[in-house]
Structure formats: C-alpha cells, structure tokens
Amino acid sequence: MLIRKPPDIKSSEITPERYYFNRRELLRSAGFVGAGALLSGATGAADEGPAGHRRLGKVERWPASLKTTPNTFEEVTTYNNFYEFGTGKADPAEASGRFRPKPWKVQIDGETEAPGSYDYDTIVKAHTLEERIYRLRCVEAWSMVVPWVGIPLASVLKRYKPTSKARYVAFETVVRPEEMPGQRSGVLDWPYVEGLTIAEAMHPLTLLVVGVYGVELPAQNGAPLRLMVPWKYGFKSIKSIVRISFTEKRPPTTWSLSGPNEYGFYANVNPNVDHPRWSQATERRVSSGLGSLLAARQDTLMFNGYADQVASLYTGLDLVKNF
Amino acid sequence: MVVSTRQIRLAGKPLLHLACSLPLVLLILSIAEIGGLRLGPNPQLYIRDVLGEWGLRLLLVTLAITPLRRLIGKPWPLLFRRLLGLWAFAYLALHFVTYFFLDRSLELALIIEDILKRPYITLGMTAFMLMIPLAITSTAGWQRRLGGRWLQLHRLIYPIAVLGCWHFYWLVKKDLREPLVYCGLLAILLVARIWWARADKTRAA
C-alpha cells in the first residue's frame, strides 16, 4: 500500500539530519545519560542508549515518518499518561522503578486457530523492527512527536491466524498492583482494556511498539509491548499488553466504560468533534524550555493527519455519534 | 508573656507575605531554571495550574479566618484576612493571565468559545470577574465609603469560592480526589458559619 506523506509538513520543520542517530545529539537530548550509565556501572556500552535503556538491534526507517523534529527523549519519558503508575504526568516515570517488563508473555485467544501463551521473543523476534515518527495526540488536547520502534500489528496478528469470525481485536494491560502503584487506587477499573475493529488493527499504520528512540520501551511508556494507533487519541494505544483476543463482538474499552459521554470506542482524532468539556480544534505541542513558553497552539488535523489513509475505514459512519 | 495585637500584626504580616509569595517565587525560579527547578514538558499548563491551585488554596485559607477567630475566641486573625484575600486574588489574576496569554495565546475566538461552551471555564471566569470588585474595595477607604453595603458586597466571597471549587471539580479528567478535598474543606467552612449563625440566633431568642 502506498502511504503518502502527511500534508502538514512545513519546510521549516524538516530536520536535515536525523539527529537522534547522532550520538552527541542523543546525549544532549537524553540529558541524563551519564547518570543512567553511572547507575548501571557501565560506561557507554555499545548496546546502551539514553538513561541506560537497552538499545534495540537493527531498526529500519519507515519512509513516511513525520518530518517534524521529535520531542526529546526526556520529554517523551517524563510526561506520560499511564494511570497504572498514578494520574500525574510525572508519576509514570517516578513510580515505575519496580516494574519488571521481562520475562513477558502474551496470551492470544478468542477467534484464532493458534491460541496460546506466547513469549515476548516469539512474538517480536520474527519481524524486522521499523522506526516510525508519529505524533501522539492525547484526548487532553496536547501532542508529542515520538520516534516509535515497532512492527506493523497486522504482520504479528496474521501469524496467529484469526478466524473469519474475528471482527474485533481486544487488548488487555497487565495487572501488577505491587509493581504499579496506581493500580492500588480505584481511579479506573483494572485491567485497562482497549479494542479495535479488525480493519483498524490490520491497518498498515497500526504499530505494535517495542521501543522509542532506538531503545527498548521504558516502563513509563508501556514496556515491553504497546500499541500506537496514530489516528486515534492516545488512550486507544494501550500499554504493557498481556492479552490479545480476537472477538466477534465489540469489546469493552476502559475509558468509554469510565466516561461513556466523553470517550467513545472509536476515539478518532477529530478537530470538529469536541470533548464535552474542552475543544479538540487545537492542541498544545508539548515542549519544555523557555523558548516554547510563548508558542501558539497548533491546529489539530483530521485523523491526526492521516485522513488520506484511514478515512475510508469510516465511510458511512457518523463520526459525531461514533466519537 | 502577653503578646499585644500590635506585635501580632508586626510579626504576622511580613511572615504571611513571605509564606504567600513562596509558591510564586518557586514558579519564577522554575521559569528561570534556577536551583534545579523546571517547568517540565508542558510549561504553559504547569504555570496555569500551579497558580490556579494556590489561588484556590489561599481563598479557602481566607475563608478559614472567621471560623478560626471564633474557635480561638480572639480577634487577631481578622488582621490578616485582607492580606490573604488579596494574595488569593493575585494568584488567580495571574492564573487568568496565564490562561489568556500563554495557554490560549490571546486567540480571542478560542477564548470566547471557551467561556461560552466550556462550563468549567464559564464558572472560573465568573468567579474571577466577581473577585475584581472585592479586590478594588478591599481598602479601608472603600470600606468606610460603602459602610454597611461593604459587608453585603463582600459576601460575594461565598459564591466565588463555590464557583472556584466547582471549576476545579469539573476540569479534571478523572481523578477527583484533589478537587473533592477542596470541595470538602469549603463545605466545612460554610457549614461552620451556618451552624454558628443558628447558634447565635437561638441564644439571642
């Protein structure tokens, strides 16, 4: 399938050099790599990336990545919504120290010819990793540009042979209250669950993510396996996945259970359909530092800029009702 | 040792000014990135929220003055009510300015839509507008000029506090714990007043 470049690229935003493959820049953007290396007792080991996170092996660059300069590694890993670790944006980074993403198993069940419990390596190692720069648009009207590393979800799902009855794919996050302090509160019902239609799950833009910035996913970003569905609000991109079920019926999803008037099953990024309490027409591009203090908000794009690729999934669907 | 009202005033005012300015000083240090303080990845919202939270906290502290005076049976807490109320106003005015200039970048269409269509912003904006006349008439001169009507006017602080807490309650995405703490404290402060007013009435009758 031909994927055209998103239309929102300004020439001023094009970075001539892919800066995070430049080690000096990487060190600068990570900021605290020295501390990470010190803590692990290693000094600049070849397989070590920012903050001591393990570098992923061979990663191919996806040609249709956003050309916008990504947010820094520090921004990507310190400003997160991951209620399993707390509801504050800094909580996931601060409270995820006890989380152990390895070993990891994923249960695959439902309408499949190959149900079972599969090891992380079994799921991931058969595929070539791709790096894709997507913008994450949070339903809270902020966004972040992130160099994700992953595998098109479709390639993985096909290996587990969904049957013809599989119309939806349901996902479930791990429950480990002893490692995830937010799960000791009742702010949401655990486990966190999400779902996609089979067409959405099989869409070439939907990514099963294993890393950011060329390193394994930090706990706060949803280690070791998470989704990234770039045309949907961030909460659809479920983190720390332990279960994938092919289902005939539409599966329940956490935020739509928690606030059915505010969060729908589809949750497609749509500047024309406001959240009941705030506008979705514009977004704040997350950016630390004094220089960005006076920066203007930017317009939110239909399907987060991927209308050409995904609008056809929703022909005939009332996007106001099916928010 | 007997401490005179004058001594309490002399010591209390600078101390309270210092305490009330502390969050603002920390915010300024964070903006300047001094002492390891940072605004974080979403600076506009961080500034806006810190200012709003401290404004609301100080508003509740201001409302606690009368119950405190009643509880300890001494008049001196009254000496600091205006100071606290004006600090609350200062934080909320900066909260408003941050929303206007930094968060919404002065895009009037966006701001008007917010005020009309977003109930929590309607509430917050109303509360702030109602605070302006209170801040203006907080001086001794205005108090004298308005006489009995001054007290009536300044009763606006009750609806302002209710709107402020409601604004906070309505804006959070899901975690209501913090706004509920504020709402609970406000409820205690208001119920205490009703309780005492009734008790006074019964005693008078």
Side-chain angles (χ1 to χ4, degrees):
Chain A
M1 181 184 157
L2 177 76
I3 292 175
R4 267 173 287 169
K5 282 181 183 172
D8 66 322
I9 304 161
K10 290 185 216 127
S11 63
S12 63
E13 288 182 340
I14 295 175
T15 339
E17 208 176 345
R18 297 291 304 287
Y19 73 86
Y20 47 90
F21 282 106
N22 173 326
R23 184 162 171 83
R24 196 184 306 165
E25 281 286 350
L26 178 70
L27 290 170
R28 198 169 64 83
S29 68
F32 44 88
V33 66
L38 252 159
L39 284 173
S40 68
T43 44
D47 62 344
E48 212 168 82
H53 293 288
R54 252 172 58 94
R55 211 174 266 291
L56 292 158
K58 189 173 168 287
V59 176
E60 281 184 3
R61 292 181 204 174
W62 186 58
S65 276
L66 284 180
K67 298 297 180 284
T68 317
T69 308
N71 280 88
T72 63
F73 183 80
E74 191 184 350
E75 286 162 352
V76 168
T77 54
T78 58
Y79 193 80
N80 308 96
N81 269 335
F82 196 176
Y83 280 19
E84 279 79 347
F85 293 114
T87 56
K89 295 286 183 286
D91 291 347
E94 285 165 8
S96 59
R98 293 170 63 106
F99 187 72
R100 294 288 164 262
K102 296 277 173 71
W104 194 263
K105 279 186 184 301
V106 179
Q107 188 189 329
I108 298 181
D109 56 17
E111 301 295 341
T112 161
E113 288 167 23
S117 178
Y118 296 94
D119 186 66
Y120 172 90
D121 281 344
T122 318
I123 296 169
V124 172
K125 289 284 151 75
H127 302 270
T128 311
L129 297 180
E130 270 180 54
E131 189 201 57
R132 298 187 177 189
I133 302 176
Y134 285 156
R135 180 178 41 242
L136 173 111
R137 170 57 159 85
C138 179
V139 73
E140 296 165 3
W142 55 264
S143 66
M144 213 181 240
V145 177
V146 184
W148 303 105
V149 179
I151 309 154
L153 181 66
S155 320
V156 177
L157 293 186
K158 278 173 194 158
R159 284 173 51 221
Y160 295 94
K161 302 191 176 80
T163 69
S164 58
K165 279 185 174 172
R167 294 181 55 219
Y168 294 93
V169 188
F171 302 88
E172 204 175 292
T173 296
V174 72
V175 179
R176 290 186 191 169
E178 66 288 356
E179 294 177 28
M180 303 174 115
Q183 286 183 337
R184 289 174 229 152
S185 83
V187 66
L188 290 173
D189 281 333
W190 318 110
Y192 191 96
V193 288
E194 256 307 334
L196 298 170
T197 65
I198 194 87
E200 291 172 336
M202 293 294 186
H203 193 279
L205 284 171
T206 306
L207 205 62
L208 184 65
V209 171
V210 300
V212 285
Y213 265 101
V215 298
E216 288 181 343
L217 270 181
Q220 60 268 38
N221 296 86
L225 275 176
R226 66 166 295 168
L227 281 192
M228 182 38 60
V229 194
W231 71 93
K232 291 177 179 285
Y233 292 123
F235 68 86
K236 292 296 291 181
S237 293
I238 186 170
K239 305 186 185 81
S240 305
I241 299 166
V242 286
R243 187 174 174 194
I244 300 175
S245 312
F246 297 98
T247 64
E248 206 176 347
K249 290 202 180 110
R250 183 194 282 185
T253 59
T254 293
W255 277 101
S256 69
L257 289 173
S258 159
N261 304 323
E262 303 194 330
Y263 311 99
F265 174 78
Y266 288 97
N268 292 318
V269 174
N270 188 341
N272 309 314
V273 177
D274 286 338
H275 184 280
R277 288 182 288 149
W278 56 81
S279 166
Q280 296 291 25
T282 62
E283 65 203 47
R284 167 71 58 197
R285 166 78 188 279
V286 162
S287 176
S288 46
L290 268 188
S292 64
L293 211 50
L294 293 170
R297 299 174 69 84
Q298 59 185 47
D299 288 339
T300 290
L301 304 173
M302 188 65 201
F303 294 114
N304 202 20
Y306 295 104
D308 288 349
Q309 290 86 31
V310 301
S312 60
L313 292 175
Y314 308 104
T315 1
L317 193 76
D318 183 341
L319 294 175
V320 176
K321 277 186 192 144
N322 298 282
F323 53 88
Chain B
M1 188 182 88
V2 181
V3 184
S4 74
T5 309
R6 206 181 102 83
Q7 283 168 316
I8 291 176
R9 192 215 310 264
L10 279 178
K13 284 208 168 169
L15 278 177
L16 276 180
H17 276 302
L18 200 67
C20 290
S21 64
L22 208 59
L24 191 60
V25 170
L26 288 177
L27 201 55
I28 292 164
L29 292 178
S30 307
I31 293 171
E33 299 190 349
I34 292 171
L37 296 168
R38 305 277 294 273
L39 293 172
N42 204 339
Q44 293 89 352
L45 294 204
Y46 180 78
I47 298 175
R48 188 195 69 187
D49 295 352
V50 166
L51 291 168
E53 282 170 22
W54 278 104
L56 197 54
R57 283 171 198 156
L58 287 170
L59 196 62
L60 293 179
V61 172
T62 311
L63 278 175
I65 289 292
T66 299
L68 177 68
R69 184 180 56 144
R70 187 95 192 209
L71 276 175
I72 62 173
K74 294 204 168 69
W76 63 259
L78 257 187
L79 292 171
F80 308 118
R81 190 167 63 179
R82 174 166 59 203
L83 180 158
L84 289 166
L86 282 173
W87 268 107
F89 178 75
Y91 276 97
L92 293 170
L94 288 171
H95 172 64
F96 174 86
V97 165
T98 315
Y99 160 78
F100 228 69
F101 286 87
L102 297 187
D103 181 14
R104 298 281 135 172
S105 310
L106 261 187
E107 284 186 53
L108 282 178
L110 210 64
I111 293 166
I112 290 167
E113 190 197 308
D114 267 357
I115 296 172
L116 297 179
K117 280 177 72 180
R118 317 286 158 214
Y120 76 92
I121 292 182
T122 319
L123 292 179
M125 200 64 79
T126 311
F128 178 68
M129 293 300 162
L130 291 175
M131 270 192 104
I132 296 172
L134 302 200
I136 293 171
T137 60
S138 64
T139 60
W142 271 104
Q143 203 165 353
R144 210 171 328 106
R145 247 168 288 165
L146 288 172
R149 282 174 304 160
W150 187 89
L151 205 62
Q152 279 179 324
L153 177 67
H154 280 252
R155 290 221 170 96
L156 274 177
I157 198 68
Y158 303 125
I160 288 167
V162 171
L163 291 173
C165 287
W166 195 354
H167 162 77
F168 190 22
Y169 181 88
W170 256 355
L171 71 85
V172 296
K173 186 173 162 201
K174 177 69 195 169
D175 192 356
L176 287 172
R177 287 172 291 188
E178 206 186 341
L180 281 176
V181 169
Y182 288 76
C183 294
L185 289 173
L186 177 65
I188 292 169
L189 294 172
L190 295 183
V191 167
R193 284 173 164 79
I194 297 170
W195 177 274
W196 276 317
R198 279 193 171 181
D200 290 349
K201 223 182 194 174
T202 339
R203 207 172 308 144

